């Protein structure tokens, strides 16, 4: 019997998927058949009953007349006064008017059945869906199985809901990106400002004592001018982008010695600006290596990591730079002697807007290490956080800085 059940299911699905026009025609045809059948049965029964009544009243002639006239004939005789023919009149009335009664009652019943079977459920679904959308509740699905006009309308409402969800998610994504960008901009301004303050404190401290030569003073002022220019360029860059991912990556050919010198200048300025001692160790042997690197990104990462270290260090911070020629990877490690990362912090430190010490919520945005990780990724590297074996936190940033050579024979030999 499975094939029979399958055919029944197919027939039900076919009827359910009929368009309103076809469904209404089908309902009217069924109504017509039912009305015709009921009317025919009622007329025949009343017709035969009338003949029996005339025979009972010993009027076989009239019974024969009713028989010859047929069931559609209406009775028009006037009864003699005092004759009780009410039953015959009633049967005659039913026989004549039953088709109209059945048609009227059938139309009402058909409309009710059509509304219940084809309109009530989809209209309820649409009403509920529109109400939830109006209340800004999009956590639902508009599901109606039929493929008729209201089924298509339900599908359109579902498409609209999906688009609203997508638009809402995109709006929140843009808001979060803008929030992240604003926090990054505010956060990254602190490091160059701290560097400038360090150089300013250095000059204010030693110029009155005459301990700075004119050459050193000019070099310091040139460094301050470079950082001011960097601030201006950074402000212009951040004005034209919409997310951290759009920060440009502009590698240039430079020597590692020049890059390490810039790192040393930032370390020197931050050492002058704070109460924590900052020590820089570099691999001098790698200074002559020529690589492709984006100095701005590397210095930006250094500044952010150092800013975090200065907040939590007790007395000393160690900055170590190294270059792995085999992997063409520039490594920058910052260690402090603070309390280090907890187990939870090791898992969450790189997440945006995560703050380790909530009792000082205004000191930072909780986004510095997240920005550093994104910048390291732009440079092909990674950012790792750990606890030093000597105590305190250790943050290591890596940058892919490929070696290049201007010697044609070297290029050919490498290829």
């Amino acid at each position: 019997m499975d094939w029979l059940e399958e055919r029944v299911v197919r027939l039900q699905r076919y009827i359910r998927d009929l368009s309103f026009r076809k469904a209404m025609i089908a309902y009217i045809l069924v109504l017509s058949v039912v009305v015709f059948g009921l009317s025919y049965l009622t007329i025949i029964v009343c017709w035969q009953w009338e003949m029996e009544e005339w025979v009972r009243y010993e009027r076989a002639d009239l019974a024969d007349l009713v028989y010859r006239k047929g069931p559609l004939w209406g009775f028009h005789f006037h009864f003699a006064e005092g004759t009780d023919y009410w039953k015959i009149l009633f049967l005659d009335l039913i026989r004549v008017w039953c088709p109209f009664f059945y048609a009227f009652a059938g139309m009402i019943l058909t409309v009710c059945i059509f509304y219940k079977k084809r309109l009530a459920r989809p209209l309820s679904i649409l009403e509920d869906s529109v109400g939830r959308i109006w209340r800004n509740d999009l956590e639902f699905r508009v599901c109606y199985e039929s493929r008729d006009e209201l089924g298509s309308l339900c599908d359109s409402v579902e498409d609209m809901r999906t688009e609203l969800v997508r638009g809402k998610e995109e709006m929140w994504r843009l808001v979060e990106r803008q929030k992240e960008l604003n926090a990054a901009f505010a956060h990254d301004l602190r490091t160059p400002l701290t560097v400038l303050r360090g150089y300013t404190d250095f000059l204010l401290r030693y110029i009155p004592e005459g301990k700075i030569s004119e050459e050193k003073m000019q070099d310091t002022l040139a460094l301050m001018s470079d950082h001011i220019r960097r601030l201006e360029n950074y402000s212009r860059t951040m004005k034209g982008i919409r997310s951290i991912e759009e920060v440009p990556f502009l590698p240039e050919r430079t020597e590692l010695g020049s890059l390490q010198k810039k790192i040393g200048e930032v370390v020197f300025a931050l050492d002058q600006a704070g109460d924590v001692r900052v020590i820089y160790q570099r691999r001098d042997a790698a200074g002559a290596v020529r690589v492709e690197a984006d100095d701005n990104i590397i210095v930006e990462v250094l500044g952010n990591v150092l800013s975090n270290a200065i907040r939590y260090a007790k007395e000393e911070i160690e900055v170590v730079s190294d270059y792995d020629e085999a992997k063409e990877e520039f490594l920058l490690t910052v260690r402090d002697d603070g309390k280090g990362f907890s187990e939870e912090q090791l898992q969450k430190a790189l997440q945006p807007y995560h703050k380790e010490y909530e009792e000082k919520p205004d000191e930072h945005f909780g986004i510095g290490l997240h920005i550093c990780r994104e910048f390291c990724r732009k440079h092909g590297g990674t950012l790792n956080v750990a606890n030093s074996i000597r105590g305190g936190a250790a943050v290591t940033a890596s940058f892919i800085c490929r070696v290049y050579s201007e010697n044609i024979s070297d290029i050919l030999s490498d290829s």
Side-chain angles (χ1 to χ4, degrees):
M1 298 297 291
D2 292 342
W3 64 272
L4 181 60
E5 294 179 359
E6 183 179 354
R7 288 182 177 274
V8 171
V9 170
R10 286 183 179 180
L11 179 60
Q12 291 176 346
R13 188 182 300 115
Y14 174 77
I15 295 174
R16 183 188 63 196
D17 294 339
L18 285 175
S19 64
F20 283 163
R21 182 176 62 182
K22 293 181 180 180
M24 184 58 71
I25 292 175
Y27 273 73
I28 292 174
L29 290 176
V30 173
L31 168 66
S32 302
V33 172
V34 172
V35 169
F36 177 81
L38 289 176
S39 299
Y40 178 78
L41 292 175
T42 304
I43 290 173
I44 293 299
V45 170
C46 292
W47 175 59
Q48 292 180 349
W49 199 345
E50 280 187 58
M51 289 192 294
E52 292 176 0
E53 288 296 320
W54 283 117
V55 172
R56 191 170 65 85
Y57 280 107
E58 297 179 353
R59 297 294 302 272
D61 55 334
L62 288 179
D64 182 63
L65 176 64
V66 171
Y67 178 78
R68 285 187 287 105
K69 289 291 186 179
L72 299 180
W73 169 72
F75 188 76
H76 300 292
F77 289 94
H78 295 282
F79 298 107
E81 186 176 353
T83 306
D84 186 11
Y85 294 137
W86 59 270
K87 185 179 292 186
I88 296 175
L89 289 175
F90 179 72
L91 293 172
D92 186 71
L93 179 67
I94 294 177
R95 180 168 54 84
V96 173
W97 293 100
C98 68
F100 302 98
F101 172 77
Y102 287 144
F104 180 75
M107 285 189 294
I108 295 177
L109 183 62
T110 301
V111 169
C112 293
I113 294 176
F114 186 83
Y115 178 83
K116 182 179 180 180
K117 294 292 186 180
R118 303 300 299 267
L119 298 178
R121 184 164 175 262
L123 288 178
S124 175
I125 292 175
L126 290 172
E127 182 181 6
D128 179 68
S129 301
V130 171
R132 296 182 70 170
I133 291 174
W134 183 79
R135 295 191 299 270
N136 202 27
D137 176 16
L138 302 177
E139 298 297 326
F140 68 98
R141 287 184 59 83
V142 183
C143 183
Y144 182 59
E145 298 82 5
S146 178
R147 296 181 182 178
D148 58 15
E149 288 84 345
L150 285 179
S152 300
L153 183 58
C154 288
D155 291 340
S156 299
V157 173
E158 172 62 17
D159 293 340
M160 180 183 68
R161 184 199 69 84
T162 304
E163 286 299 320
L164 288 174
V165 171
R166 187 180 296 111
K168 190 174 181 180
E169 291 175 350
E170 182 64 24
M171 180 187 68
W172 280 111
R173 189 158 40 250
L174 291 175
V175 170
E176 286 299 315
R177 284 184 176 181
Q178 189 61 48
K179 179 181 176 182
E180 182 177 303
L181 189 64
N182 293 339
F185 182 68
H187 186 280
D188 289 352
L189 284 179
R190 298 175 61 175
T191 300
L193 290 176
T194 304
V195 171
L196 290 174
R197 188 182 69 181
Y199 283 127
T200 304
D201 292 344
F202 173 74
L203 294 176
L204 290 175
R205 185 183 308 162
Y206 294 108
I207 285 180
E209 299 177 5
K211 295 182 178 180
I212 301 180
S213 64
E214 183 176 353
E215 181 181 359
K216 179 63 175 178
M217 184 171 62
Q218 289 179 351
D219 291 341
T220 304
L221 292 175
L223 291 174
M224 294 176 67
S225 178
D226 289 341
H227 280 281
I228 292 174
R229 191 179 302 109
R230 176 168 166 257
L231 272 176
E232 293 174 347
N233 294 334
Y234 182 73
S235 299
R236 283 195 296 268
T237 300
M238 298 298 284
K239 181 180 179 180
I241 65 176
R242 294 171 294 180
S243 66
I244 294 178
E245 290 78 8
E246 295 182 7
V247 174
F249 171 56
L250 303 173
E252 296 180 352
R253 296 179 177 181
T254 184
E255 290 187 354
L256 279 180
S258 175
L259 177 60
Q260 291 171 328
K261 181 180 179 182
K262 291 183 179 181
I263 293 174
E265 293 167 353
V266 173
V267 170
F268 174 79
L270 292 177
D271 183 39
Q272 299 296 320
D275 298 330
V276 179
R277 182 186 178 193
V278 185
I279 303 173
Y280 177 44
Q281 297 181 9
R282 51 179 286 185
R283 181 186 175 190
D284 295 329
V289 177
R290 301 172 68 82
V291 297
E292 292 184 352
D294 189 331
D295 296 355
N296 291 326
I297 285 182
I298 295 176
V299 172
E300 193 69 41
V301 171
L302 172 66
N304 282 329
V305 175
L306 269 178
S307 297
N308 288 337
I310 288 174
R311 276 198 302 272
Y312 305 124
K314 296 178 181 178
E315 297 180 357
E316 185 177 277
I317 296 174
E318 181 183 18
V319 179
V320 180
S321 66
D322 194 2
Y323 184 73
D324 188 336
E325 296 187 30
K327 297 181 179 179
E328 296 185 323
E329 186 177 42
F330 182 72
L331 300 173
L332 195 60
T333 302
V334 177
R335 303 187 186 94
D336 63 61
D337 59 352
K339 61 186 298 185
F341 293 106
S342 64
E343 290 297 327
E344 182 181 0
Q345 294 305 317
L346 290 175
Q347 301 295 327
K348 299 181 179 180
L350 301 181
Q351 296 179 4
Y353 310 114
H354 182 76
K355 301 181 181 182
E356 184 171 4
Y357 302 107
E358 294 297 336
E359 64 270 14
K360 298 179 180 180
D362 297 330
E363 282 196 1
H364 65 109
F365 298 95
I367 198 175
L369 292 179
H370 171 69
I371 296 172
C372 292
R373 181 177 65 175
E374 294 300 320
F375 284 169
C376 288
R377 287 177 176 175
K378 280 183 174 292
H379 219 298
T382 59
L383 184 75
N384 297 311
V385 296
N387 288 321
S388 175
I389 58 176
R390 294 177 293 178
V395 179
T396 301
S398 65
F399 310 89
I400 298 300
C401 300
R402 303 195 182 282
V403 178
Y404 76 94
S405 174
E406 296 180 349
N407 192 317
I408 300 298
S409 60
D410 292 342
I411 296 176
L412 293 176
S413 63
D414 290 340
S415 61

